[in-house]
C-alpha cells in the first residue's frame, strides 16, 4: 500500500507530488529531502523512517522508500509491513513507464511532461493500490501527448539516402533512436520500429597473479516496441543455447548459461526444440529474458593487465602498466582505466590522445584510452610522488578497475538468429538488434 | 487572433520559454519573470483571463481545445512545486465542465488536492461528476467515479453512494475497479459508521468477477472495510477460487492475493500440499515481489513443517541471487537484506555462491557493507583464502566507511581463522593511514577479547601505531590493549606517558577514562616504570579535571590504592577475554519462525541502519560485551548476595533471584562460586578425559587412593531443559557463576551441555577450600533412560561408579547406600530426567553438594519457566 508518491530533483525541487490516501501532509516531501541529504555515506538510504506528524495516525511510522534514477529521487511513502520488493519494483516500473511515455528520464523531461505523469499515476495507482502497469492497458487511458525534449539532430536527416538509395547509415540506427516516447508513433504514422537489445553485464576479478578469480555475466534481452499492431513476434536464439551444466546441444561451441528466466508473457512451446521465444510485445520496453552465467566464460576476459610497481632512487613510485586487449582486431572501444592510489603524479603514455589524471577526491589515477584497438597492447608509466615512501605504500596501490562498453559482442556468445513478426506488417517496419556488453565491475588486483 | 495560435503551441513544446506568448497579450502585466514558482497574485489574473475570454473564443472557433491547457498547466505546476494555489478553486470548478478529457483530468488533479479546503465549493463539482457518471464513454465514467471518491469530503458521501453502487454493476471493468475501491475510501471517510452488509455481500460476490483486477480490488476493499473483524474472511472456497485465478492476475495482484492468503490455515495435510504444489511455480518467479510474497506464504503455511520450509528456502535461492544481481541497486540491496535473514536459519545456503557477493568497484558503500556482512557468514575452510584476499582489497577502499567495515569483517573471520587474519591486519598497520590504523586496533581489541590466543601477535603489532591514531575510538582501543597486556608490550609505559603528558588537551571523555584504567593496570604489573606517571595522572585528574566522571574514577582508584596492592589487583585484574564465547563462536542456526514474520517487510532493510550506526561508533562486539573493569567485580560473587547485585534487570535475573532464596534456606555452609581462573575449552577437555580415564580403571582400591577427585552422577527432573535455548541457559548459569562451555543445539538427541565452575568454601578457622567442578548435562531421550535404570539395578559394575556417590545424595534420602540413592532419583526422572555428571578436583563433598543444589535449582526454575 502506497500512501504518497513524489519525485524530487537532486537539488530538492518538488517535481511531482501525488497523495493517494490523505494520511500525511505534503510536508513529508521536505522531511524526506532533509533526511536523505543528512545521510552519511555508509547508511543505506533505501528505507527511512519518520514519525507520523498527524495526531490520529501517531501510532504508525511513515516509511520512505526511494530509488534513484535519471538523477531524480522517486519516493513512495508507505507503512512498515508493506513489501519492499513490491514497492521498489513498483517505483522501478514507474520510472520505466515514464521513460516509455516521455522518451527519456531527466529533470527536464519530467518537468515538461508533468501533466502526463499525473495522468499516468492516476491510472496506475488508485487509493495506494497498484492497478496496472501494463502499457497495453494504459494506452487506452492516457490521452496527454508527450513533449519531447530531444534537440533537432542532423543525424536524422542523414538517414535519408539520395533518391531513396540505401546508404550505410540506414543500416545503423543511432543509439538515441530508442529514446522516444511510445505514443508519438501514433501521429508520426509510418515509423513502426522494434528494438531488441541483448545487454550483458560482466563482473570480473583477476588476481594479482593473472588468474581469473571470478567472472560473472548477467544478461537480459530487452524488447522495445513501437508497433501499434504486432500480434506475435518470434525471437530465435542460437540453436546450441543451453541452460544449466548438464545439457549439451549440437557440435558447435555451446552457448551456455547457468540460470535463465522469462517474462511471463513469453510462450516457450518452441523453446525446447528450436530455441524460439514467442511473445506478443506490448508497446514500450520490457525485459523478455534474463540469464546468468558464473565462472565459466566461453572466451578469455577481454582485457589483461601486466603491472610492475617499483621504487626508484628518488623516492618515487614507478607504476608501469601494460594493458592488453584480447578482442578480435578491427574492434576498437573506449576504455577508462582507474587505479586507486593516493599520490601526485607524472606520466608517460604511449599515444597523445590518451590522457591520465589524478583525481584527488577518489584518490585514483584515471587513464582514459579512446579507441583501443583489439589485439593490441598499450603501456603507460606513472611516476608517483609519495611522501614517506615505504614498502607498505605498495600495498596501497590498486586494484585497477576498467570500465568499458563492448558493442556488438556478448560475453556468453548469445546471438539472435532471427526476429520475425506476424502478421507481416503492412507498413515498412524496422527491426533493430543490438548487442552490448558493459563492464559492471572489472577489477584487476595488483 | 487565430494567427498566433500555432506560434503559441510551438513555444509551448520547446520549453521552458513557454511563458513568452503570454507577454504578447496587451494586458497590464507586461513581462512575467521567468522563475519556477510563479507568485499567486500573477497567476490568478492570467487564469481568470484565459477562462473568461480566451477559452470561449477558441471553443467557438472549433480550434484545438488544448489551449485550455496552458493556464491549467501553469497552475498545476505551481501546485506540485508546493505553491498554494487554492485561491483558484472556484475558477477550476467552472473549468471542470468540459468535454476534453485531458483538461478534465488536470482539473480533477487540482480539485482533489484542494477540496478539503473548500468543502462548500466542492458541492458544485458533484453535479458535473454525477453527470459524467452517466457518460457513454467508460473512461469518463471511471474518471468521474474515481475523483468523486478522491475528494475526501464526508459531506459529499450521500451524493456519492448511489453512483458507486451503480458502478459496481457497470459493464466496463475499469468502472467496476474504481467503484470497488471507492467503497473502501468511503468507509475510511466515516470510520464510525455502520458497515453496510449489502455492500459487503456485493463485494464478496464480485470476487467472482471476470476481471482479475476487480477481484483483487474486492479483496483490498474488504480488507479495509472489515479491518475491525480481522479483514476479509478466507475460507476454503475463497482460497481455492483465488489460487485458481492467481495466474490471471498481474504481478501486483498476485502479491496482494498471496499476502492475504497468509491468514488461511489448510484443514488437512493433503490440502496443504496441494496448495504448495500449486504455488511452486511462483516460488521461482523471475519477479522478485512475487517470489518474496510466495515464500512468505510458504513459511506461514508450513510453520509446523520445518523440513518443507527449508526446502522452500533452497528453492528460492536462485531467484534471490538473481535479484542480488539486478540492474536496480535498490532491488539488489533489498535482496541482500533478505538473504541475511535466510542465512540466520540456513548458514550454508549460499556457501557455494560466495563469489556472487564480491563487491563491484562502482557499487555504493551501503551495498558493499551488506555484501561484506554476508561474506563473513559464508566463510569456510575452502573459500577462506579467496575471501580474505578479496576483503583485503576492500580495506584500502577510498570510502573510509567501506574500508572500516572490511577491516572489522576480517576481524570477524579472525575468530575462526585467527592466524591468516592477524597477518592481514598487521600488514594494514604498516600503511600508517589514520582511519585504517584506528579500525585495525579496534578490531584487534575485539578479537583479543574473544580469542585470547591472538594476544601475542597483537602485542607485537601494537608497537608504534599510536602515532597514526587520531580518533578517540581508536585511541581507546589502544589504551585498553596496553592496560590489559601491558606486561608484554615493551613500550607500553612510554606510550602511556605520551598520553598522560597530553591529557590536558584531551577532549574525549572516553579516552581519559580508559587512560586512567590502563595506567592503573600497567602500574600493577610494571610498578617501577609507571609509578611516577600514575601519580601525575591521578593528581591532574583529581585536582584539575573538571569532568565529574573522570574525577570520581580517579578518586576511586586513589582510594583503592590505599587499600593495598593485593586488593587493587583483585579489583582490576579481571577477565581478559569473554568467557562466554570460547567454543561457541559459530552462531547457532535460528528457527525460521524467528524471522518469518519480518520477511518481506521493511524491517530487515531498517535493521541495517541501526547495525551500521553502531558499527561506526565502535565495533558491535564492544558494545555488547564492554570489558569495563567494574564488571569484573562480580567475578567472585557470593551467591547469597545475588539478589542485591543483580536486582531485577531482566527476566533471567528474576529467576535466579528466587533460586538464590531457596538456596539460602537449603544450605548452611557458606559457599561461593567463581569463574576465575578461566578454563579454556582445551584445558576442560583435557581434564575431563583424564579423569574419565582414571575412573575407567574401575579399581575400588585405587579409587580410594585418588582422594582429591570425586565423580558423581545425578538425575534432575526438568523436562523442558533440553528445549531451552542455549542463550537462555547460558545467561541463567552465568548469573550464578557457572560457565557453560559447549552445547549441542536444542532439540537434538542426545543433548549435552558441558560446564565448569570454581567453588570456594570457608570451613572453620579461615581455611578456604577451593575446588574445580566440571560437569556434563546429558539428556538422551526416553528409550535410553530405561536401559540405564535397568543397568543400574542389575549390574554391579555401576556400583563402582556409585561408590563416591554416597556423600552426594539428595537431602531427603536417609539411606547411606549410594546405589539405592541414585536409583531413587533415577526413577524420579525416569520419564524426562537430565543426567548430571560432575567431576570435582580436589575433593570437597560439601561444596559439591552445595553446587549440585544450586544447579538443580537453576535447572528447575528454568524448566518451570518454560512450562
Amino acid at each position: 500500500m502506497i500512501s504518497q508518491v513524489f519525485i524530487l530533483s537532486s537539488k530538492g525541487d518538488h517535481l511531482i507530488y501525488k497523495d493517494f490516501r490523505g494520511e500525511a501532509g505534503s510536508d513529508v516531501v521536505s522531511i524526506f529531502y532533509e533526511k536523505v541529504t543528512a545521510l552519511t555515506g555508509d547508511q543505506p538510504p533505501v528505507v527511512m523512517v519518520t514519525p507520523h506528524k498527524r495526531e490520529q495516525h501517531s501510532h504508525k511510522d511513515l516509511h520512505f522508500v526511494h530509488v534513484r534514477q535519471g538523477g531524480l529521487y522517486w519516493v513512495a511513502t508507505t507503512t512498515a509491513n508493506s513489501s519492499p520488493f513490491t514497492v521498489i519494483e513498483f517505483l522501478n516500473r514507474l520510472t520505466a513507464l515514464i521513460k516509455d511515455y516521455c522518451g527519456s528520464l531527466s529533470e527536464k523531461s519530467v518537468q515538461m511532461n508533468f501533466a502526463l505523469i499525473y495522468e499516468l499515476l492516476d491510472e496506475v495507482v488508485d487509493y495506494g493500490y497498484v492497478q496496472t502497469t501494463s502499457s497495453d492497458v494504459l494506452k487506452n487511458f492516457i490521452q496527454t501527448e508527450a513533449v519531447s525534449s530531444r534537440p533537432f539532430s542532423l543525424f536524422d536527416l542523414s538517414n535519408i539516402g539520395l533518391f531513396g538509395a540505401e546508404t550505410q547509415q540506414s543500416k545503423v540506427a543511432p543509439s538515441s533512436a530508442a529514446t522516444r516516447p511510445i505514443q508519438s508513433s501514433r501521429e508520426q504514422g509510418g515509423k513502426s520500429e522494434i528494438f531488441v537489445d541483448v545487454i550483458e553485464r560482466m563482473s570480473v576479478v583477476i588476481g594479482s597473479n593473472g588468474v581469473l578469480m571470478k567472472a560473472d555475466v548477467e544478461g537480459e534481452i530487452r524488447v522495445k516496441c513501437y508497433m501499434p499492431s504486432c500480434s506475435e513476434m518470434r525471437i530465435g536464439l542460437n540453436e546450441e543455447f543451453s541452460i544449466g551444466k548438464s545439457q549439451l546441444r549440437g557440435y558447435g561451441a555451446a552457448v551456455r548459461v547457468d540460470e535463465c528466466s522469462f517474462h511471463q508473457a513469453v510462450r516457450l512451446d518452441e523453446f525446447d526444440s528450436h530455441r524460439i521465444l514467442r511473445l506478443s510485445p506490448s508497446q514500450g520496453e520490457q525485459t523478455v529474458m534474463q540469464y546468468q552465467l558464473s565462472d565459466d566464460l566461453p572466451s578469455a576476459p577481454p582485457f589483461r593487465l601486466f603491472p610492475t610497481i617499483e621504487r626508484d632512487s628518488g623516492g618515487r613510485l614507478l607504476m608501469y602498466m601494460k594493458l592488453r586487449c584480447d578482442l578480435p582486431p578491427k574492434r576498437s572501444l573506449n576504455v577508462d582505466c582507474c587505479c586507486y592510489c593516493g599520490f601526485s603524479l607524472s606520466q608517460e603514455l604511449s599515444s597523445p590522445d590518451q590522457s591520465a589524471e589524478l583525481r584527488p577526491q577518489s584518490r585514483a589515477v584515471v587513464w582514459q584510452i579512446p579507441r583501443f584497438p583489439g589485439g593490441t597492447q598499450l603501456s603507460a608509466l606513472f611516476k608517483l610522488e609519495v611522501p614517506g615512501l615505504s614498502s607498505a605504500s605498495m600495498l596501497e596501490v590498486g586494484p585497477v578497475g576498467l570500465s568499458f562498453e563492448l558493442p556488438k559482442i556478448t560475453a556468453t556468445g548469445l546471438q539472435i538468429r532471427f526476429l520475425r513478426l506476424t502478421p507481416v506488417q503492412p507498413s515498412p517496419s524496422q527491426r533493430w538488434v543490438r548487442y552490448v556488453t558493459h563492464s559492471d565491475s572489472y577489477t584487476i588486483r595488483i | 487572433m487565430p494567427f498566433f495560435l500555432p506560434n503559441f503551441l510551438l513555444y509551448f513544446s520547446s520549453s521552458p520559454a513557454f511563458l513568452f506568448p503570454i507577454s504578447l497579450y496587451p494586458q497590464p502585466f507586461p513581462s512575467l519573470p521567468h522563475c519556477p514558482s510563479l507568485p499567486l497574485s500573477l497567476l490568478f489574473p492570467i487564469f481568470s483571463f484565459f477562462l473568461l475570454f480566451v477559452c470561449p473564443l477558441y471553443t467557438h472557433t472549433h480550434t484545438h481545445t488544448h489551449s485550455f491547457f496552458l493556464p491549467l498547466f501553469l497552475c498545476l505546476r505551481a501546485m506540485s512545486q508546493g505553491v498554494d494555489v487554492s485561491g483558484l478553486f472556484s475558477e477550476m470548478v467552472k473549468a471542470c465542465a468540459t468535454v476534453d478529457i485531458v483538461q478534465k483530468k488536470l482539473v480533477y488533479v487540482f480539485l482533489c488536492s484542494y477540496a478539503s479546503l473548500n468543502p462548500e465549493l466542492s458541492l458544485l463539482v458533484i453535479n458535473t461528476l454525477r453527470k459524467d457518471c452517466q457518460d457513454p464513454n467508460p473512461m469518463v465514467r471511471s474518471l468521474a467515479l474515481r475523483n468523486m471518491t478522491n475528494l475526501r469530503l464526508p459531506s459529499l458521501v450521500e451524493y456519492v453512494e448511489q453512483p458507486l453502487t451503480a458502478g459496481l454493476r457497470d459493464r466496463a471493468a475499469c468502472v467496476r475497479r474504481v467503484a470497488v475501491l471507492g467503497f473502501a475510501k468511503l468507509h475510511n471517510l466515516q470510520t464510525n459508521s455502520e458497515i453496510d452488509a449489502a455492500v459487503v455481500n456485493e463485494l464478496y460476490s464480485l470476487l467472482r468477477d471476470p476481471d482479475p483486477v476487480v477481484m483483487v480490488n474486492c479483496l483490498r476493499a474488504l480488507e479495509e472495510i472489515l479491518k475491525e473483524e480481522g479483514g476479509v474472511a478466507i475460507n476454503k472456497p475463497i482460497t481455492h477460487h483465488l489460487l485458481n485465478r492467481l495466474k490471471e492476475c498481474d504481478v501486483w495482484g498476485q502479491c496482494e492475493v498471496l499476502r492475504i492468503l497468509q491468514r488461511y490455515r489448510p484443514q488437512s495435510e493433503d490440502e496443504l500440499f496441494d496448495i504448495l504444489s500449486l504455488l511452486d511455480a511462483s516460488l521461482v518467479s523471475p519477479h522478485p515481489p512475487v517470489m518474496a510474497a510466495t515464500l512468505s506464504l510458504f513459511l506461514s503455511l508450513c510453520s509446523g513443517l520445518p523440513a518443507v520450509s527449508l526446502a522452500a528456502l533452497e528453492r528460492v535461492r536462485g531467484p534471490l541471487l538473481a535479484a542480488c544481481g539486478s540492474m536496480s541497486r535498490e532491488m539488489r540491496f533489498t535482496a541482500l537484506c533478505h538473504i541475511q535473514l535466510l542465512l540466520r536459519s540456513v548458514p550454508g545456503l549460499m556457501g557455494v555462491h560466495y563469489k556472487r557477493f564480491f563487491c563491484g568497484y562502482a557499487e555504493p558503500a551501503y551495498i558493499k557493507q551488506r555484501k561484506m556482512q554476508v561474506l563473513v557468514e559464508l566463510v569456510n575452510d575452502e573459500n577462506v583464502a579467496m575471501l580474505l584476499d578479496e576483503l583485503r582489497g576492500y580495506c584500502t577502499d577510498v570510502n573510509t566507511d567501506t574500508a572500516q567495515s572490511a577491516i572489522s569483517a576480517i576481524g570477524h573471520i579472525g575468530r575462526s581463522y585467527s592466524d591468516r587474519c592477524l597477518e592481514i591486519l598487521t600488514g594494514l598497520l604498516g600503511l600508517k593511514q589514520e582511519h585504517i590504523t584506528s579500525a585495525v586496533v579496534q578490531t584487534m581489541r575485539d578479537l583479543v577479547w574473544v580469542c585470547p590466543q591472538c594476544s601475542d601477535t597483537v602485542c607485537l603489532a601494537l608497537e608504534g601505531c599510536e602515532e597514526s591514531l587520531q580518533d578517540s575510538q581508536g585511541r581507546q582501543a589502544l589504551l585498553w590493549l596496553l592496560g590489559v597486556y601491558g606486561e608484554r608490550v615493551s613500550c607500553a609505559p612510554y606510550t602511556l606517558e605520551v598520553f598522560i603528558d597530553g591529557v590536558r588537551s584531551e577532549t574525549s571523555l572516553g579516552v581519559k577514562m580508559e587512560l586512567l584504567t590502563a595506567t592503573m593496570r600497567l602500574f600493577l604489573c610494571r610498578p617501577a616504570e609507571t609509578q611516577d606517571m600514575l601519580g601525575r595522572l591521578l593528581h591532574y585528574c583529581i585536582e584539575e579535571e573538571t569532568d565529574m566522571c573522570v574525577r570520581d574514577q580517579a578518586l576511586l582508584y586513589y582510594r583503592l590504592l590505599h587499600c593495598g596492592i593485593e586488593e587493587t589487583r583483585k579489583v582490576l585484574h579481571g577477565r581478559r577475554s569473554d568467557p562466554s564465547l570460547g567454543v561457541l563462536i559459530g552462531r547457532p542456526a535460528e528457527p525460521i519462525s524467528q524471522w518469518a514474520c519480518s520477511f518481506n517487510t521493511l524491517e530487515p532493510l531498517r535493521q541495517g541502519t541501526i547495525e551500521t550506526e553502531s558499527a561506526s561508533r565502535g565495533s558491535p562486539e564492544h558494545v555488547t560485551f564492554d570489558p569495563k573493569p567494574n564488571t569484573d567485580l562480580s567475578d567472585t560473587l557470593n551467591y547469597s548476595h545475588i539478589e542485591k547485585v543483580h536486582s531485577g534487570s531482566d527476566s533471567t535475573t528474576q529467576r535466579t533471584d528466587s533460586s538464590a532464596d531457596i538456596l539460602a534456606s537449603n544450605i548452611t555452609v557458606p559457599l561461593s562460586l567463581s569463574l576465575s581462573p578461566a578454563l579454556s575449552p582445551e584445558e576442560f577437555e583435557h581434564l575431563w578425559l583424564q579423569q574419565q580415564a582414571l575412573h575407567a580403571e574401575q579399581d575400588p582400591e585405587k579409587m580410594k587412593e585418588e582422594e582429591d577427585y570425586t565423580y558423581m552422577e545425578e538425575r534432575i527432573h526438568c523436562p523442558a531443559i533440553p528445549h531451552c535455548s542455549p542463550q537462555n541457559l547460558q545467561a541463567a548459569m552465568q548469573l550464578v557463576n557457572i560457565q557453560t562451555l559447549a552445547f549441542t543445539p536444542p532439540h537434538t538427541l542426545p543433548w549435552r551441555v558441558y560446564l565448569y565452575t570454581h567453588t570456594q568454601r570457608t570451613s572453620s578457622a579461615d581455611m578456604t577450600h577451593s575446588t574445580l567442578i566440571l560437569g556434563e548435562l546429558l539428556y538422551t531421550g526416553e528409550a535410553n533412560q530405561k536401559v540405564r535404570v535397568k543397568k543400574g539395578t542389575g549390574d554391579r559394575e555401576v556400583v563402582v561408579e556409585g561408590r563416591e556417590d554416597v556423600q552426594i545424595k539428595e537431602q531427603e534420602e536417609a539411606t547411606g547406600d549410594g546405589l539405592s540413592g541414585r536409583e531413587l532419583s533415577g526413577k524420579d526422572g525416569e520419564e524426562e530426567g537430565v543426567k548430571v555428571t560432575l567431576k570435582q578436583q580436589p575433593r570437597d563433598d560439601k561444596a559439591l553438594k552445595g553446587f549440585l543444589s544450586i544447579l538443580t535449582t537453576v535447572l528447575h526454575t528454568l524448566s518451570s519457566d518454560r512450562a
Side-chain angles (χ1 to χ4, degrees), chain B residues 661-672:
Chain B
D661 280 341
I662 305 164
L663 292 175
S665 60
N666 272 355
I667 302 157
T668 44
V669 212
L671 171 74
S672 68

Side-chain angles (χ1 to χ4, degrees), chain B residues 317-339:
Chain B
R317 171 173 54 195
L320 257 183
L321 276 173
C324 273
S326 146
M327 282 281 255
S328 146
R329 47 189 197 179
E330 288 82 9
M331 187 55 87
R332 251 189 267 180
F333 176 73
T334 314
L336 278 171
C337 294
H338 283 86
I339 282 178

Side-chain angles (χ1 to χ4, degrees), chain A residues 341-343 357-364, chain B residues 398:
Chain A
C341 55
F343 327 101
E357 59 169 326
L358 184 83
R359 298 200 179 141
Q361 205 170 21
S362 56
R363 295 196 296 136
Chain B
V398 187

Side-chain angles (χ1 to χ4, degrees), chain A residues 39-48, chain B residues 333 366-367 369-370 605-606 608-609 612:
Chain A
L39 283 179
T40 59
D42 63 326
Q43 284 167 315
V46 181
V47 172
M48 290 181 297
Chain B
F333 176 73
Y366 62 92
I367 290 189
Q369 286 178 2
R370 285 287 170 157
L605 281 83
R606 281 180 57 199
T609 338
T612 39

Side-chain angles (χ1 to χ4, degrees), chain A residues 1 14-22 40-47 49 61 63 65-69 78-86 88-90 92-93 108 111-112 114-115 118-119 122-123 125-127 129-133 137 140-144 147-148 199 201 205 213-214 216 218 220 222 259 261-264 290 292 294-295 336 338 340 361-363 390 392-393 395-396 398-399 401-403 439-443 445, chain B residues 12-13 15 69 73 76-77 79-82 101-102 105-106 109 139 142-143 146-147 150 152 174 177-178 181 184-185 188 213 217 220 224 249-252 254-256 286-289 291-292 318-323 325-335 338 355-362 365-366 369-370 386 389-390 393-394 396-399 401 427-428 430-431 433 435 599-603 605-606 608-609 612-613 616:
Chain A
M1 196 164 57
H14 305 189
L15 301 180
I16 299 285
Y17 168 80
K18 179 124 180 114
D19 186 359
F20 292 107
R21 294 182 64 92
T40 59
D42 63 326
Q43 284 167 315
V46 181
V47 172
V49 190
D61 283 343
H63 292 246
V65 180
H66 85 277
V67 303
R68 284 209 70 171
Q69 293 225 354
T78 176
T79 48
N81 60 354
S82 51
S83 154
F85 287 104
T86 313
I88 288 174
E89 180 86 353
F90 163 72
N92 284 333
R93 182 73 195 126
K108 200 171 158 194
Q111 249 173 3
M112 288 195 323
F114 78 94
Y118 273 124
E119 198 182 352
D122 208 34
E123 297 293 344
V125 185
D126 191 11
Y127 205 43
Y129 297 108
V130 185
Q131 299 293 300
T132 179
T133 51
V137 179
N140 304 320
F141 292 95
I142 304 303
Q143 304 278 320
T144 316
V147 184
S148 176
I199 300 170
R201 287 173 292 139
V205 179
M213 287 166 76
K214 168 194 162 174
D216 278 0
E218 268 144 12
E220 57 188 44
R222 262 192 248 162
E259 267 168 61
S261 61
F262 302 94
H263 190 275
Q264 59 183 5
Q290 286 174 298
Q292 297 151 9
S294 307
D295 275 342
D336 276 8
C338 181
Y340 296 101
Q361 205 170 21
S362 56
R363 295 196 296 136
S390 68
S393 310
L395 267 180
E396 222 180 322
L402 296 183
S403 52
S439 61
D440 193 28
S441 163
Y442 197 98
T443 311
R445 304 216 171 282
Chain B
F12 171 61
S13 56
S15 80
F69 207 69
F73 190 90
L76 279 175
R77 157 178 270 195
M79 188 185 92
S80 57
Q81 280 166 347
I101 293 186
V102 176
K105 283 185 173 177
L106 288 179
V109 170
M139 202 202 303
S142 68
L143 188 68
R146 180 165 55 228
N147 287 294
N150 277 351
R152 292 195 207 108
C174 63
R177 292 174 186 177
V178 172
L181 277 185
K185 297 180 201 171
N188 284 357
V213 182
N217 277 356
R220 292 160 167 164
E224 300 230 2
C249 304
D250 61 356
V251 176
W252 321 108
Q254 288 186 19
C255 294
E256 204 74 45
H287 302 285
M291 177 270 297
L320 257 183
L321 276 173
S326 146
M327 282 281 255
S328 146
R329 47 189 197 179
E330 288 82 9
M331 187 55 87
R332 251 189 267 180
F333 176 73
T334 314
H338 283 86
K355 284 185 185 172
R356 300 292 281 279
F357 301 97
F358 282 7
C359 305
Y361 66 87
Y366 62 92
Q369 286 178 2
R370 285 287 170 157
M386 193 86 161
D389 204 46
E390 184 71 19
Y394 307 151
T396 44
D397 198 282
V398 187
N399 184 318
D401 296 314
L428 287 172
L431 292 179
Q433 291 262 338
H435 67 279
F599 187 84
N600 202 16
T601 65
L602 299 183
E603 204 56 37
L605 281 83
R606 281 180 57 199
T609 338
T612 39
E613 266 168 16
S616 58

